[in-house]
Amino acid sequence: MNDAVHEKLKILSDAAKYDVSCASSGSNRANSSKGIGNGVACGICHSFTEDGRCVSLFKILMTNNCIYDCAYCINRRTNDRARATFTAQEIVDLTIGFYRRNYIEGLFLSSGVIKSPDFTMERMVQVAKKLRNEENYNGYIHLKAIPGASSELIHEAGIWADRLSVNMEIPTELNLKKLAPEKNYPDIITPMGQIRNSILVAKEERKKYRTAPRFAPAGQSTQLIVGASPETDRQIILLSSGLYKKQNLKRVYFSGYLPVNSYDARLPAVNRPPLVRENRLYQSDWLMRFYHFKAEEILSEDQPFLDLDVDPKLGFALRNMHLFPVDINRDDYEMILRVPGIGVQSAQKIVLARKHRRLNSLHLKNLGIVMKRAKYFITCNELPVHKTEWEPQRLKHKLLCEMNSKYKKSFDTQLKLFTDFKPVLPTLH
């Protein structure tokens, strides 16, 4: 690697760290007998940065030059910082070189917009095409679809890549216009719809013809910046739910706003990212994807923000004590999933086990239930009913005290960055 490429690599790998949507699950691109790389099942390896973010081992921008001047972006046009641009061949050579050294198993390629969306997208597609055709590379490739690029280029990108993603960035169009006036929602939603339809068409064709080409077999994703604009958590969760239903997204990623352009008066005056809020949104996303929660159940108009003290599932239980206790031996699977301390696999085990006998607390503990939390929301053979014994606020305080005692020496990895962070327990009056 010559000095010029090495310098580009330092600049553009650092610039890529702000994009968090880099998972690879869902791809199933098998290797051929003469190819290199493999995108089957487990996908690519990941590394964790110091602040806890999950990053693919070769995550790179094609360029950090950009024609846009988005208020929240470190690579905005008016920022005075080192700039660099890779050629398509340089990225191909780096990817293959790192792969042969066993440093990486896949490529995550994003880019600033240089000259025009079509110009940028064409060069990103060229990278993927060269890897597949010239290097016979069968590993995982994730490409960012540039909003505003032509439908033909978006389609070609899906032919060569395993996953495509179109970043929405700001949750509402009004605030997008305020912070990024050169962007618009139609340019973001349109390629999402095209990718969704192309994936569905490709799946149907492969049912008829085994050799039909795949289209973005790992699906599509997007990213939302949390805290750069004044949207509520409820607005963000409702938007995520709509994207899963309408656009068939595999993942919606949340990125706490990093104050990289504190001089811009349009941005909030904060000195650190809202990492706890970001984590709560991910937990809410998990509830919708795996626990059959509806977005409207997680937050209401009366309570538009998530409780930062407790996870969303416990918050739901504390707000809806009238739904509890849940009878482990009688209530349906959906209600068992809503009990704090019971996960998806544990709920499935409960439903299977109770077919053979009535379950008691010992059985539940053996099934992996977190009884210290669940016991306040369930009843079974010998377990007493706690419904009238605890008021929601007192129960919340008790659970928080227990959690604080358990985790006081091992804070969240991200929170370790802030030496002044201390868990705050609610006071009782």
Side-chain angles (χ1 to χ4, degrees), residues 20-31 36-46 55-59 95-96 99 104-109 127-128 131-132 136-144 160-165 216-221 250-251 253:
V20 299
S21 52
C22 59
S24 62
S25 58
S27 178
N28 193 31
R29 186 185 298 272
N31 197 347
I36 64 172
N38 195 313
V40 177
C42 63
I44 69 173
C45 295
H46 296 86
V55 181
S56 58
L57 291 181
F58 190 45
K59 180 180 180 182
T95 303
I96 297 301
Y99 183 84
I104 64 165
E105 295 184 51
L107 170 67
F108 175 89
L109 181 61
V127 172
L131 283 169
R132 299 295 190 210
N136 206 8
Y137 175 76
N138 294 287
Y140 177 81
I141 298 178
H142 181 160
L143 293 182
K144 285 292 177 183
W160 304 116
D162 294 282
R163 173 170 285 187
L164 296 177
S165 53
Q220 65 169 321
S221 59
K250 281 292 185 73
R251 285 295 304 272
Y253 292 88

Side-chain angles (χ1 to χ4, degrees), residues 19 106-107 115 125 133 183 211 265 267 283 286 377-379:
D19 199 322
L107 170 67
K115 292 189 178 180
V125 170
N133 290 344
K183 294 183 178 180
T211 57
L267 296 168
Q283 290 172 330
W286 202 263
F377 303 98
I378 63 174
T379 183

Side-chain angles (χ1 to χ4, degrees), residues 108-126:
F108 175 89
L109 181 61
S110 186
S111 181
V113 180
I114 183 170
K115 292 189 178 180
S116 70
D118 277 350
F119 183 89
T120 308
M121 195 73 231
E122 183 179 2
R123 276 144 188 79
M124 293 176 70
V125 170
Q126 188 179 6

Side-chain angles (χ1 to χ4, degrees), residues 129-420:
K129 190 174 181 179
K130 279 177 171 287
L131 283 169
R132 299 295 190 210
N133 290 344
E134 296 179 12
E135 303 293 341
N136 206 8
Y137 175 76
N138 294 287
Y140 177 81
I141 298 178
H142 181 160
L143 293 182
K144 285 292 177 183
I146 305 298
S150 69
S151 58
E152 292 80 11
L153 286 171
I154 298 292
H155 183 79
E156 188 175 3
I159 295 297
W160 304 116
D162 294 282
R163 173 170 285 187
L164 296 177
S165 53
V166 189
N167 283 357
M168 295 195 76
E169 295 173 346
I170 303 300
T172 59
E173 187 169 12
L174 179 65
N175 286 314
L176 180 68
K177 279 294 183 185
K178 178 183 175 183
L179 299 178
E182 296 152 306
K183 294 183 178 180
N184 62 78
Y185 254 40
D187 281 350
I188 298 171
I189 298 298
T190 300
M192 277 188 179
Q194 179 191 346
I195 294 168
R196 175 202 62 206
N197 294 336
S198 296
I199 290 173
L200 293 174
V201 169
K203 286 181 177 178
E204 290 300 316
E205 288 182 348
R206 285 187 64 82
K207 290 178 181 178
K208 299 178 182 178
Y209 311 103
R210 291 181 59 187
T211 57
R214 291 183 174 90
F215 185 92
Q220 65 169 321
S221 59
T222 192
Q223 175 177 314
L224 297 172
I225 298 174
V226 178
S229 49
E231 290 87 6
T232 65
D233 293 337
R234 186 172 189 269
Q235 286 177 290
I236 295 172
I237 291 171
L238 287 172
L239 173 61
S240 300
S241 177
L243 290 172
Y244 284 127
K245 293 176 182 176
K246 296 178 182 178
Q247 304 296 350
N248 292 343
L249 262 64
K250 281 292 185 73
R251 285 295 304 272
V252 175
Y253 292 88
F254 307 103
S255 177
Y257 164 65
L258 291 164
V260 292
N261 299 321
S262 55
Y263 59 85
D264 197 311
R266 293 172 291 175
L267 296 168
V270 297
N271 57 10
R272 64 187 188 187
L275 297 177
V276 179
R277 185 186 180 194
E278 175 189 311
N279 185 48
R280 296 295 182 226
L281 286 168
Y282 272 119
Q283 290 172 330
S284 301
D285 180 76
W286 202 263
L287 292 182
M288 291 190 292
R289 293 168 56 221
F290 298 106
Y291 287 76
H292 304 177
F293 274 74
K294 296 179 181 178
E296 295 78 8
E297 291 181 284
I298 299 172
L299 288 173
S300 63
E301 292 182 1
D302 298 332
Q303 188 167 354
F305 286 95
L306 293 164
D307 189 338
L308 299 184
D309 292 326
V310 298
D311 65 80
K313 190 178 181 183
L314 179 56
F316 167 83
L318 292 171
R319 292 194 312 271
N320 296 275
M321 292 297 286
H322 62 281
L323 299 176
F324 300 94
V326 170
D327 190 334
I328 290 298
N329 289 297
R330 294 185 178 182
D331 283 329
D332 60 21
Y333 174 71
E334 301 289 334
M335 278 307 300
I336 294 174
L337 275 178
R338 280 157 173 70
V339 176
I342 298 181
V344 174
Q345 291 185 359
S346 297
Q348 293 170 348
K349 290 177 182 177
I350 288 171
V351 173
L352 290 174
R354 70 186 186 182
K355 292 180 180 179
H356 305 285
R357 64 174 302 166
R358 289 185 62 82
L359 303 178
N360 58 35
S361 57
L362 181 60
H363 297 141
L364 297 178
K365 189 174 182 179
N366 290 337
L367 289 174
I369 309 304
V370 183
M371 291 301 293
K372 287 185 177 180
R373 177 174 293 202
K375 65 183 180 181
Y376 301 103
F377 303 98
I378 63 174
T379 183
C380 54
N381 275 359
E382 83 297 349
L383 199 64
V385 177
H386 288 272
K387 181 175 181 180
T388 57
E389 183 179 341
W390 293 97
E391 292 298 323
Q393 283 303 316
R394 295 192 67 85
L395 178 55
K396 175 182 174 181
H397 185 266
K398 178 176 175 59
L399 289 170
L400 282 172
C401 288
E402 292 176 355
M403 291 163 59
N404 182 45
S405 174
K406 181 178 180 181
Y407 296 110
K408 62 183 178 182
K409 294 184 180 179
S410 57
F411 291 143
D412 183 277
T413 305
Q414 294 178 329
L415 299 180
K416 288 180 181 177
L417 294 174
F418 311 113
T419 56
D420 60 338

Side-chain angles (χ1 to χ4, degrees), residues 56-122:
S56 58
L57 291 181
F58 190 45
K59 180 180 180 182
I60 197 74
L61 292 185
M62 189 177 71
T63 180
N64 65 343
N65 287 290
C66 194
I67 63 174
Y68 297 140
D69 198 32
C70 306
Y72 46 82
C73 184
I74 187 67
N75 298 314
R76 61 187 295 183
R77 181 179 66 239
T78 54
N79 273 357
D80 183 17
R81 65 195 315 265
R83 305 282 180 172
T85 302
F86 276 126
T87 65
Q89 191 59 49
E90 284 172 340
I91 298 175
V92 170
D93 292 342
L94 283 170
T95 303
I96 297 301
F98 287 153
Y99 183 84
R100 291 189 188 280
R101 291 173 175 82
N102 204 30
Y103 293 159
I104 64 165
E105 295 184 51
L107 170 67
F108 175 89
L109 181 61
S110 186
S111 181
V113 180
I114 183 170
K115 292 189 178 180
S116 70
D118 277 350
F119 183 89
T120 308
M121 195 73 231
E122 183 179 2

